[in-house]
Amino acid sequence: MVQFTDALVFALLSATARAAPLLLNKRIAQTTIDSVTPWEDACNSAGGGQQCNPIAVTAASTLLAAAGNCDQQDSADAMISLAKTLNNDPNMISLAQIFAQQPRNSPNSLAVPYCDTAPQNSELNGFFQCQFQGSDQTSFVGGLSVGEAGTIPLGLSAAVSPAGSCPANPTGPVADGQQLNAITQNPGTPSSGSTASGSTSVSSGSTASSAAPATASSSASTSDNSGAGAAAGDSASSASSSTSTAGTTTSSTTSSSSGFALSNGQAAQAQNAQFASLTADSSCTDGQNACVNGAFAQCVSGKFETTQCGSGETCAALPLVNSAGTSITCTTTADAEARIAATGATGGLTGDGSTTSASSASSDTSASAAVSSTAAASSTSATASDNQAATSSSSTSSFALSNGQAAQKLNAQFATLSASSTCTDGENACVNGAFAQCVSGKFETTACAGGTTCAALPLVNSAGTSITCATTADAEARIAATGATGGLTGSS
């Protein structure tokens, strides 16, 4: 038998103590919906009505790790553009400036690159996001080192000092997961730098549109916290994104779909354009849904798992019809283009006239994200026939009733689930009225906004269902409109 002397054991322990420490990279996340709740409250107080929530929820999604470097600024622009249509509401503008500086989630404990494009509104000149304290302030996501493009805010000639700071928090980075709006109501003094690219004057009929960034995800709520990218947010009615156009006032109506139809179409186009850049090897966040090479994709353990669509179909982001937001589903290219065109959006599937099937991923699907659950697209579907009873896209009559019945069956199934129910990674569902995503074999839930509940709803222009947050009355009405009887679950 081999025996170790005390001296040898001591030597081994000493060598271990002297060894270089193991560097562990962790995701640094937050409950992103908290970053926009004060702004949405101010917007509602200012009379923004139905325009407030879609912009707020889309903005929250821009703090996710998968968002583009300028998406956060684009959403802050949208917030200010809407404020300008509401008598230049100062509270909304100030909170938008603070939001623009909220740290973004880091997928690997590295600093997040800065936007290198000028904002549309001058109120955002010189503002840039803080970094979270736990991030390495000398290395940036994407392998960038300080001094490279994206590591110095627009307009600055040197690295941020102190590293990780921003005008709203000039002393340094922000504690991991902390919301700026909880520690300050002062956006700070902007640095000399970026200049707004759009018109900044405010006159009747000449303000920027109230729009969310064109690169927004389909998710309505937004948080990839819990280290798993689970349900994206803690609040939510459906969200949408629209394209901002300087010099044009776009007002949303609260009484009909005209307030979100066009923005839904433009949001779907933006997603499809992003999907076209993804491959099966693209990095992703667990729970994220997308289209990859024409197939429906879900991110499981940091890798896209794809499900092929039916023959003649492709995966695409599509605009919702009866509420703000988008869905990701399998359909024919012609049907997808027709549904987008029906919203008034021009430029086909991607907004640039391209008919290339969507294949990349920007949507962190969530509570009000209207996640498509067609048989080819989502594990929340009961059976293939439940969610895709007909393949014809020429009229709704071939699938309306089956969509309603499929939604009822899903809602009945959801009523039997609990937070401890077994599930398959990437599966979406409703658990005790909250939106739920399965992460590592366990449901991660996200509460819906006050007065709303999670439910499966029938799609309108194609076969399938979506999972979203809505009022019970709205959910029942949408199911009843398909001809299905028996209320939410088909049992009443």
Side-chain angles (χ1 to χ4, degrees), residues 276-347:
S277 68
L278 284 193
T279 68
D281 296 325
S282 296
S283 59
C284 59
T285 303
D286 281 3
Q288 180 179 350
N289 294 325
C291 297
V292 174
N293 297 327
F296 180 83
Q298 289 183 313
C299 188
V300 179
S301 300
K303 181 180 179 181
F304 279 122
E305 298 287 346
T306 58
T307 301
Q308 295 300 318
C309 294
S311 177
E313 294 183 330
T314 188
C315 179
L318 302 176
L320 295 183
V321 177
N322 289 342
S323 63
T326 61
S327 64
I328 302 174
T329 188
C330 289
T331 188
T332 63
T333 300
D335 178 56
E337 291 178 337
R339 292 177 64 181
I340 288 173
T343 68
T346 59

Side-chain angles (χ1 to χ4, degrees), residues 28 103 131-137 172-177:
I28 302 176
Q131 303 288 348
F132 279 130
Q133 226 166 44
S135 295
D136 180 351
Q137 307 301 331
V174 175
D176 292 356

Side-chain angles (χ1 to χ4, degrees), residues 227-244:
D234 282 346
S235 153
S237 53
S238 300
S240 69
S241 60
S242 58
T243 303
S244 188

